[in-house]
Amino acid sequence: MEESFIPKIPVASWIDAFVDWLTVTFAIVFDGITIALEAIVNGMNTVLMAIPALILIIILAILAWKLTSKGIALFTLIGLLLIQNLGYWEGMLQTLSLVLTSVIITVIIGLPIGVWASQKRTVQQIVTPILDFMQTMPAFVYLIPAIFFFSIGVVPGVVASVIFAVPPTIRLTILGIQQVPTDIIEATEAFGSTVKQRLLKVQLPLATPTIMAGINQSIMLSLSMVVIASMVGAPGLGADVYRAVTQIQIGTGFEAGLAIVVMAIILDRLTQNIGKKKN
């Protein structure tokens, strides 16, 4: 390997030392987060598993019908019946619990940051390069500190999914609020609206479609992490795909992948149509 003209900057050593310091200093915090996230995911999975498969399928099909169209409702019904028939129902519910937990945390974190950055130029200038870094860093890299902080299991999978999926929610929240027409903003100011009133009653409602598009992207990114998260012990369909890859089981891998695709399409169509009228 060709030597550099200047001594190598020990970035790896600095990062290792920083991670070790965090692990020791905030061990209690990380333990608390682990317990909380495990309780949320396991509790959500327990509730979903307690509902008979056929009843849950019918409920989700009706929900799809109310939010979207009869075509998507029919696809939801047939797709979920197929997943249940292939024997991936439990894995699908485990994956759904992981994804829903990740997305809920993503919205809780991303929406306020996006709103804050849309109102403060300085905050946006600080947040934007951080989001660029988060979106360009390979997803596998997020698993390394997650394992150190939270051991193995579902928690590092959730944490990695949140980090990987939160940028679209933040970015599109900023974009949606800033794209509200200037004349509308001027009209609210003319009527004496406060910043809070303008944000809650005008900007956020008008920005809702764009914000929902960001949440939709976050759901898709979170779902794309399920296979990667399975490498650190996260259960669900990703574990089935990973097992099939390591054992070179093409048919099994295709079945599990098909279940993920069906689940992704259903979640995508549902979130795309929230707040829209059914055709």
Side-chain angles (χ1 to χ4, degrees):
M1 185 170 59
E2 193 174 315
E3 294 186 3
S4 174
F5 292 107
I6 59 175
K8 178 184 176 181
I9 302 174
V11 175
S13 300
W14 293 344
I15 296 297
D16 289 339
F18 180 64
V19 170
D20 290 339
W21 176 78
L22 286 177
T23 304
V24 173
T25 307
F26 298 99
I28 296 177
V29 176
F30 294 136
D31 289 343
I33 294 174
T34 300
I35 293 172
L37 289 180
E38 283 182 346
I40 294 171
V41 175
N42 293 335
M44 192 176 298
N45 189 59
T46 300
V47 171
L48 292 173
M49 288 294 296
I51 305 173
L54 184 58
I55 293 177
L56 185 56
I57 290 172
I58 293 173
I59 291 173
L60 292 175
I62 293 173
L63 181 64
W65 182 26
K66 295 295 183 182
L67 292 178
T68 58
S69 65
K70 292 181 180 179
I72 299 300
L74 182 61
F75 176 85
T76 301
L77 180 64
I78 295 174
L80 293 178
L81 286 173
L82 176 63
I83 292 175
Q84 198 275 335
N85 178 263
L86 293 175
Y88 294 100
W89 184 254
E90 183 177 349
M92 190 274 289
L93 292 182
Q94 290 173 335
T95 299
L96 183 61
S97 299
L98 190 152
V99 170
L100 289 179
T101 302
S102 301
V103 171
I104 290 170
I105 297 172
T106 295
V107 172
I108 291 174
I109 294 173
L111 197 57
I113 293 176
V115 171
W116 188 23
S118 71
Q119 304 299 306
K120 300 289 185 180
R121 181 68 178 173
T122 304
V123 176
Q124 184 178 352
Q125 290 175 338
I126 295 172
V127 167
T128 299
I130 296 175
L131 296 179
D132 293 338
F133 176 84
M134 292 169 66
Q135 288 187 295
T136 53
M137 178 67 71
F140 286 93
V141 177
Y142 294 134
L143 295 179
I144 300 173
I147 294 171
F148 272 98
F149 297 147
F150 306 105
S151 186
I152 60 173
V154 70
V155 176
V158 171
V159 172
S161 297
V162 169
I163 297 173
F164 186 62
V166 75
T169 296
I170 298 176
R171 285 189 187 278
L172 289 180
T173 298
I174 297 172
L175 180 65
I177 293 175
Q178 291 183 341
Q179 282 187 334
V180 174
T182 306
D183 54 346
I184 295 178
I185 301 299
E186 291 174 350
T188 60
E189 292 175 349
F191 282 104
S193 297
T194 63
V195 174
K196 182 178 179 181
Q197 289 173 333
R198 183 172 69 242
L199 178 64
L200 296 179
K201 296 183 178 181
V202 178
Q203 290 177 303
L204 283 177
L206 292 176
T208 296
T210 306
I211 294 172
M212 286 307 304
I215 294 174
N216 175 268
Q217 289 187 22
S218 293
I219 292 174
M220 295 299 103
L221 289 175
S222 180
L223 191 55
S224 72
M225 281 289 292
V226 296
V227 177
I228 298 175
S230 69
M231 296 180 182
V232 293
L237 296 173
D240 294 317
V241 173
Y242 182 63
R243 192 179 306 112
V245 171
T246 56
Q247 298 176 3
I248 317 179
Q249 297 176 340
I250 300 175
T252 303
F254 180 81
E255 284 183 347
L258 181 62
I260 293 176
V261 170
V262 170
M263 184 178 170
I265 293 173
I266 293 172
L267 289 175
D268 177 65
R269 296 302 183 271
L270 287 176
T271 52
Q272 273 188 5
N273 288 274
I274 289 179
K276 295 181 181 179
K277 289 185 179 180
K278 186 177 54 172
N279 294 328

